[in-house]
Amino acid sequence: MLGRRLWQQLIFDHLSICFEGVSFVENVREASKGSLSGLKELQKQVLSDVLNDQIIVVKSVSDGRNKMKRMMGSKRALVVLDDVDDIDQLEALAGSNLLFGKYAFGREIPLQGYEVLSGKVVHYADGLPLTIKVLGSQLCGRNEREWVDALERLKTIPLQEILEKLELSYIGLENDHKEIFLGVAYLLKGMKRKKAIRILVSCGFHAEFGLRVLQQKSLLTISKADRLLLHDHLEEMGRNIVRRLHLHPDEPNKHN
């Protein structure tokens, strides 16, 4: 019986006739587990396979996304991702625009005339996969005028459904990581990472690991200046959760 690897090679040899580049990425879940560097290496593999260039350098996950968009955007490529268990993995290896198109148009490429509007929506989502999914589903089947109206509304009124969907990421956290996230959303956003860690450690948390988990789950980012950053949607979600957890929702000074 032919081994798995040989079958893959035979299939890829056949598919290479139809596509400009083919990449099979094995064990995505395991390779990206616990480290952003794992996703970075997988992005490098996809770029190297599709572009047939083994000296490509990927500095960060964000750099990898930009390179994939810029260098692979015009190519007809087949990328097979094996054992994906997190939407963040899909977003890093397939791209936000690909993900948005699936929900807004039922295909990867936006309908003619909607390219600029699609770009604005993806920019508003700021790379948050759940936000992209919800917005795409909301706008599916809408006309151009409705898209413009929705974008204007989003500038001032976040969709309630987005916040509810984003909360699923919070619900899946361990209890101590939930507490760390709420602390960042309500108090520590914008603070230097080392100072935030000292505060969290003094409260009994394993802060270094906890912040790394939140970063891996895309619930926060670390700026080049080493400060804790939180997307506005996530900050609002965190503040809503804190208000629900207390008996004085309209009196923040009485919150823990």
Side-chain angles (χ1 to χ4, degrees):
M1 181 179 290
L2 290 173
R4 183 185 183 192
R5 265 292 181 190
L6 183 54
W7 272 116
Q8 289 171 2
Q9 190 59 53
L10 290 173
I11 293 170
F12 274 26
D13 288 344
H14 174 72
L15 289 174
S16 62
I17 300 172
C18 308
F19 294 92
E20 296 176 71
V22 179
S23 179
F24 182 85
V25 185
E26 291 187 285
N27 304 321
V28 173
R29 175 176 56 84
E30 190 64 31
S32 61
K33 187 176 181 180
S35 171
L36 289 176
S37 63
L39 275 177
K40 185 177 68 174
E41 289 302 312
L42 295 180
Q43 289 175 323
K44 180 179 178 181
Q45 178 188 333
V46 172
L47 285 162
S48 297
D49 290 345
V50 172
L51 302 174
N52 194 26
D53 183 351
Q54 302 305 312
I55 60 172
I56 285 180
V57 175
V58 177
K59 298 178 181 178
S60 65
V61 173
S62 177
D63 178 51
R65 278 198 296 260
N66 292 334
K67 278 188 168 67
M68 293 173 79
K69 182 179 179 180
R70 186 177 71 253
M71 303 169 75
M72 291 173 50
S74 61
K75 286 185 172 292
R76 237 171 18 130
L78 174 66
V79 178
V80 180
L81 306 177
D82 172 52
D83 194 21
V84 173
D85 73 340
D86 193 308
I87 198 167
D88 293 342
Q89 299 161 0
L90 179 63
E91 198 274 335
L93 297 169
S96 301
N97 290 323
L98 182 140
L99 186 62
F100 177 71
K102 174 184 175 182
Y103 291 100
F105 308 107
R107 65 181 196 177
E108 297 176 12
I109 303 173
L111 294 176
Q112 187 173 2
Y114 285 82
E115 296 88 350
V116 174
L117 288 171
S118 295
K120 289 182 178 179
V121 176
V122 171
H123 177 74
Y124 170 83
D126 200 23
L128 287 173
L130 279 173
T131 305
I132 291 170
K133 177 181 176 180
V134 172
L135 289 177
S137 300
Q138 289 278 343
L139 293 170
C140 183
R142 307 287 185 179
N143 61 40
E144 189 173 342
R145 183 62 240 171
E146 290 172 314
W147 276 59
V148 173
D149 288 343
L151 281 167
E152 288 300 315
R153 179 174 179 269
L154 287 171
K155 291 178 182 178
T156 57
I157 310 173
L159 289 175
Q160 185 60 34
E161 187 179 350
I162 289 178
L163 299 181
E164 292 172 357
K165 293 287 187 181
L166 289 176
E167 196 165 324
L168 295 175
S169 300
Y170 166 83
I171 291 171
L173 295 173
E174 299 290 336
N175 287 336
D176 56 337
H177 298 156
K178 287 180 180 178
E179 293 290 336
I180 292 174
F181 170 76
L182 295 179
V184 174
Y186 220 82
L187 181 66
L188 305 178
K189 178 184 177 182
M191 187 177 289
K192 284 280 190 178
R193 184 177 62 89
K194 290 183 179 179
K195 182 178 179 180
I197 287 174
R198 287 199 299 269
I199 293 173
L200 291 167
V201 168
S202 71
C203 295
F205 296 110
H206 299 287
E208 191 92 43
F209 178 68
L211 291 177
R212 193 178 307 123
V213 169
L214 296 180
Q215 189 176 9
Q216 184 186 358
K217 297 286 186 182
S218 297
L219 288 171
L220 66 79
T221 57
I222 307 296
S223 73
K224 291 182 179 179
D226 203 37
R227 294 185 181 275
L228 304 184
L229 300 181
L230 208 63
H231 191 280
D232 290 345
H233 298 169
L234 292 171
E235 181 182 12
E236 184 168 352
M237 177 194 79
R239 287 174 174 266
N240 285 342
I241 292 170
V242 171
R243 284 191 286 267
R244 290 204 308 268
L245 292 174
H246 292 81
L247 298 177
H248 307 279
D250 299 319
E251 301 177 66
N253 60 305
K254 293 186 179 181
H255 295 178
N256 287 342

